Amino acid sequence: MLSRIDQITNDINSFTANTAADLEAYRLKYLSKKGILSELFDDFKTIPSEQKKETGQRLNLLKQAAQEKYNSFKSLLSENEEKASGQDLSRPSFPNQYGSRHPISIVRNEIIDIFTRIGFIVSEGPEIENDDHVFTRLNFAPEHPARDMQDTFYISRASAEDSSPDDMLLRTHTSSVQVRVMQSKKPPIRTISPGRVFRNEAISARAHCIFHQVEGLYIDENVSFADLKQTLLFFSREMFGQGTEIRLRPSYFPFTEPSAEMDVSCKICGGKGCNVCKYTGWLEVLGCGMVHPNVLEACNIDSKKYTGFAFGMGIERLAMLKYQVNDLRLYFENDIRFLDQFKTAF
Ligand code: PHE
């Protein structure tokens, strides 16, 4: 019996398993109820009692070795399986937290996507600006009320009464980027400028001291108001749906002449009138106009040769219409319960 134990010990020591099937065959052969080891334990009962001590010890050692061999191959094989699948199978799968894009980013990206399809490029400028770029070169008169401390966050101001082109401030509109682009590039210019703007307003559902705009600027020979209108119609239909109508109402901005405000037909009621459009059927979405010759000249562009149009829209305003969110503050509080509702691929 001892020599049989020796032989089986050798067999077990030299055993290796490459697959789960090999290991299962091993288990059946040695460790199962009808396997070699239980056979040996049965035989053990019949041997003379003076041999029992030594044989019993050897048999127990063999059983232990056989079991250890099984265990080590079992863990090796499952480790390999994990590696082959490229995953950590012990990792818990829940809860899975996915981020989502901010609605302002979604709408901004959509606007950029629409305008880049018709040849506009994106340009950016600083949020901390001087009076020169925000007001002076945009044809704001020195006493224009927008320059007032009540509207503008000043960082440094040479005089409390008079404004100076060197005064530093937080830009109140992205039109300052128009100036920077015109100063640094020759026409033709076709660009949009998304960015944050700042105004000294009390925070409420309808006003905030920070918001986002996208500026548009197109300068070339023979650019007309018809080009502006067609560009805005194209944009509105891409943004709000192909059935959308636009209307331009005369308005005033120091840096455009003529100037207009654009409304789109209310997509919520289809123009019939509802509480979103205040029963007018129209929603105001942006300001626009033909770039004032004074602005072109102030930026070293020949106003006899070139004309252009510009427009500026509020991203929050478009997002409010798109998502029917009527409290502006929600866009700035970063409440996960709000943001979680904008899961999208865009
Ligand atoms: N800058 C203007 C505003 O903030 C919008 C505008 C931009 C109007 C370009 C005309 C042309 O209200």
Side-chain angles (χ1 to χ4, degrees):
M1 176 137 185
L2 284 177
S3 67
R4 184 146 160 72
I5 290 175
D6 279 343
Q7 192 219 321
I8 293 167
T9 305
N10 282 341
D11 289 351
I12 283 175
N13 284 342
S14 60
F15 169 78
T16 59
N18 291 321
T19 63
D22 290 350
L23 191 62
E24 179 61 5
Y26 169 90
R27 190 187 68 80
L28 288 171
K29 185 172 174 189
Y30 295 103
L31 301 172
S32 67
K33 276 208 177 88
K34 289 183 181 149
I36 291 172
L37 284 179
S38 74
E39 227 175 86
L40 281 175
F41 276 98
D42 284 342
D43 291 349
F44 176 71
K45 291 175 194 147
T46 63
I47 61 169
S49 54
E50 67 275 17
Q51 288 175 21
K52 276 206 162 140
K53 192 175 175 218
E54 199 200 351
T55 313
Q57 280 172 351
R58 297 276 300 281
L59 204 52
N60 276 329
L61 285 174
L62 173 62
K63 191 186 169 194
Q64 220 177 353
Q67 189 63 48
E68 267 167 26
K69 190 89 179 182
Y70 178 79
N71 292 348
S72 69
F73 272 108
K74 178 122 184 121
S75 63
L76 187 75
L77 285 174
S78 69
E79 232 174 81
N80 287 348
E81 194 185 326
E82 231 172 82
K83 273 189 204 134
S85 72
Q87 283 163 10
D88 174 8
L89 298 179
S90 65
R91 191 176 140 261
S93 65
F94 290 102
N96 293 333
Q97 286 272 2
Y98 295 111
S100 56
R101 264 191 216 288
H102 195 285
I104 297 299
S105 303
I106 297 170
V107 174
R108 183 202 53 208
N109 291 350
E110 221 171 307
I111 297 168
I112 292 175
D113 185 61
I114 294 168
F115 281 106
T116 49
R117 288 211 302 273
I118 52 171
F120 283 74
I121 60 159
V122 175
S123 39
E124 289 183 340
E127 293 174 352
I128 299 174
E129 261 291 10
N130 55 17
D131 172 288
D132 191 46
H133 288 101
V134 177
F135 299 125
T136 303
R137 277 180 213 267
L138 286 167
N139 200 34
F140 280 80
E143 67 287 349
H144 193 282
R147 291 176 130 130
D148 200 290
M149 299 276 275
Q150 269 157 18
D151 293 315
T152 307
F153 287 116
Y154 280 93
I155 290 168
S156 67
R157 213 174 182 199
S159 139
E161 284 89 46
D162 302 319
S163 56
S164 139
D166 295 326
D167 290 345
M168 295 304 291
L169 47 91
L170 298 180
R171 66 180 177 195
T172 56
H173 55 181
T174 45
S175 302
S176 55
V177 188
Q178 281 188 42
V179 176
R180 287 190 174 268
V181 172
M182 285 189 273
Q183 284 175 326
S184 62
K185 293 206 172 72
K186 297 254 160 303
I189 292 169
R190 224 184 285 155
T191 188
I192 54 166
S193 315
R196 277 196 293 193
V197 300
F198 308 84
R199 286 184 200 173
N200 195 353
E201 307 237 21
I203 296 170
S204 71
R206 307 201 60 82
H208 209 288
C209 57
I210 306 176
F211 55 100
H212 299 78
Q213 289 188 328
V214 177
E215 192 80 9
L217 178 69
Y218 182 18
I219 297 178
D220 203 348
E221 290 176 40
N222 301 318
V223 176
S224 71
F225 201 92
D227 297 320
L228 169 62
K229 194 174 165 189
Q230 202 57 36
T231 304
L232 294 178
L233 181 63
F234 171 78
F235 164 72
S236 303
R237 292 193 166 161
E238 291 296 302
M239 190 78 194
F240 295 108
Q242 289 308 311
T244 306
E245 296 296 336
I246 63 168
R247 106 182 153 175
L248 292 162
R249 282 178 291 104
S251 184
Y252 174 77
F253 300 101
F255 39 95
T256 47
E257 182 58 35
S259 304
E261 257 156 340
M262 186 183 88
D263 300 337
V264 292
S265 53
C266 179
K267 65 161 193 162
I268 290 149
C269 62
K272 283 196 215 73
C274 66
N275 60 352
V276 175
C277 62
K278 301 209 188 77
Y279 300 96
T280 63
W282 296 96
L283 296 159
E284 187 192 320
V285 294
L286 57 81
C288 60
M290 301 306 291
V291 180
H292 198 295
N294 289 357
V295 175
L296 294 173
E297 294 297 334
C299 299
N300 297 322
I301 291 176
D302 182 355
S303 65
K304 303 264 177 328
K305 188 169 177 205
Y306 294 106
T307 51
F309 65 69
F311 55 84
M313 60 185 99
I315 303 183
E316 280 79 1
R317 175 121 194 101
L318 296 189
M320 283 171 115
L321 298 177
K322 191 177 160 100
Y323 298 117
Q324 294 179 43
V325 173
N326 48 22
D327 192 328
L328 208 48
R329 291 168 292 197
L330 286 164
Y331 291 115
F332 297 93
E333 284 164 358
N334 288 333
D335 187 326
I336 304 252
R337 291 168 301 177
F338 173 69
L339 298 176
D340 244 9
Q341 297 173 54
F342 298 94
K343 295 227 179 338
T344 161
F346 204 93

